Amino acid sequence: MSDQPPEPLFPDDAVSGADTIPAPRPWIALQNVHEVETWIETYNRELQAVVWRNKLNTANAGQGICFTLELGGEIYLHTTAEGQVLLDVTEEAEWVSPVVSAATGVQAPAGAVWVLPQDTLTQLILGLSGMIATSQFVLKHEYRIGKGQRIGF
């Protein structure tokens, strides 16, 4: 018998499934704030379960979600422990910058990474919803800040 306490268990309903990242999911456009808030809550719970199943250290990994856009490109989204929203917009998705600005009230950054206040997440998802083709969990992503710089997790 070990003197170490048992590993904490994640709720049973959150750990059913494979020990890998789920495949990309087709996006269903969200129509209102209630649908977006429900999606955020569900996404957060599912991401925590995926991280738990893969036994990842959340202190140094960029867990989040990747949105593949209908008209090309990807947006990687991560929320920090401080509540900030990080968006890494690929070059192919730069066309979406005016939509992100309009939804969040934040001007486009000089680099690829947007740092948004916590209270903009719902409006951001609502604004992007009709442009998303698929979503997929990401367990490690290095967010780019200008040339050669990255935000490490």
Side-chain angles (χ1 to χ4, degrees):
M1 197 171 203
S2 172
D3 290 332
Q4 294 180 328
E7 285 188 18
L9 298 176
F10 213 79
D12 290 340
D13 63 338
V15 295
S16 58
D19 290 338
T20 60
I21 302 172
R25 297 177 181 174
W27 185 258
I28 298 171
L30 305 173
Q31 303 297 320
N32 57 54
V33 171
H34 176 72
E35 289 180 1
V36 171
E37 289 174 351
T38 300
W39 176 85
I40 291 170
E41 186 177 308
T42 302
Y43 148 77
N44 188 42
R45 183 177 174 92
E46 289 178 4
L47 178 61
Q48 288 177 21
V50 169
V51 167
W52 183 86
R53 284 194 308 262
N54 286 278
K55 298 173 179 43
L56 293 178
N57 177 356
T58 59
N60 61 6
Q63 294 97 6
I65 195 161
C66 175
F67 296 117
T68 301
L69 302 176
E70 290 278 354
L71 298 178
E74 293 85 28
I75 297 176
Y76 293 86
L77 181 144
H78 172 77
T79 53
T80 68
E82 295 79 29
Q84 291 179 313
V85 177
L86 300 180
L87 293 182
D88 190 350
V89 179
T90 64
E91 287 183 31
E92 298 83 13
E94 287 178 357
W95 60 269
V96 81
S97 291
V99 175
V100 175
S101 285
T104 64
V106 175
Q107 295 213 354
V113 177
W114 295 68
V115 179
L116 305 170
Q118 174 181 354
D119 64 353
T120 61
L121 183 58
T122 299
Q123 291 304 322
L124 172 69
I125 300 300
L126 191 57
L128 293 176
S129 185
M131 299 174 208
I132 299 171
T134 64
S135 64
Q136 180 173 19
F137 291 113
V138 176
L139 298 184
K140 180 137 179 93
H141 182 78
E142 294 182 22
Y143 287 78
R144 302 168 290 147
I145 302 207
K147 293 189 175 207
Q149 297 178 337
R150 297 199 175 264
I151 298 173
F153 293 92

